[in-house]
Amino acid sequence: MAEVTLTIDGKRHVGWTAARIHRSLDAMTGAFELSLTRRERTEDEPRTIAAGAACTLSVDGETLISGWID
């Protein structure tokens, strides 16, 4: 299974239960939806995801989408 990584302000988030990525040649933007676990498997702190934060979405190390959380 491919590893989907969401990096927000330099912090990597992994451990998604589902991922859907939308990209199109005729659209200016891409979009994604991620179903997340309550906490990362390796940390005790809950995820903090704030609107406006810079992010990149990568699959197996290849960046597919970059932008900001809305």
Side-chain angles (χ1 to χ4, degrees), residues 24-67:
S24 173
L25 292 174
D26 61 348
M28 292 284 296
T29 62
F32 61 91
E33 299 171 27
L34 301 171
S35 297
L36 59 134
T37 58
R38 176 96 172 119
R39 297 176 187 268
E40 290 187 37
R41 295 178 189 162
T42 58
E43 295 184 18
D44 291 330
E45 294 296 318
R47 297 178 199 256
T48 54
I49 301 175
C55 68
T56 58
L57 180 73
S58 303
V59 176
D60 290 337
E62 181 178 342
T63 299
L64 298 181
I65 297 175
S66 61

Side-chain angles (χ1 to χ4, degrees), residues 1-4 59-60:
M1 185 168 174
E3 181 182 68
V4 177
V59 176
D60 290 337

Side-chain angles (χ1 to χ4, degrees), residues 6-11 13 32 48-57 65-70:
L6 178 64
T7 304
I8 302 172
D9 287 335
K11 181 171 170 129
H13 297 270
F32 61 91
T48 54
I49 301 175
C55 68
T56 58
L57 180 73
I65 297 175
S66 61
W68 296 267
I69 302 292
D70 68 1

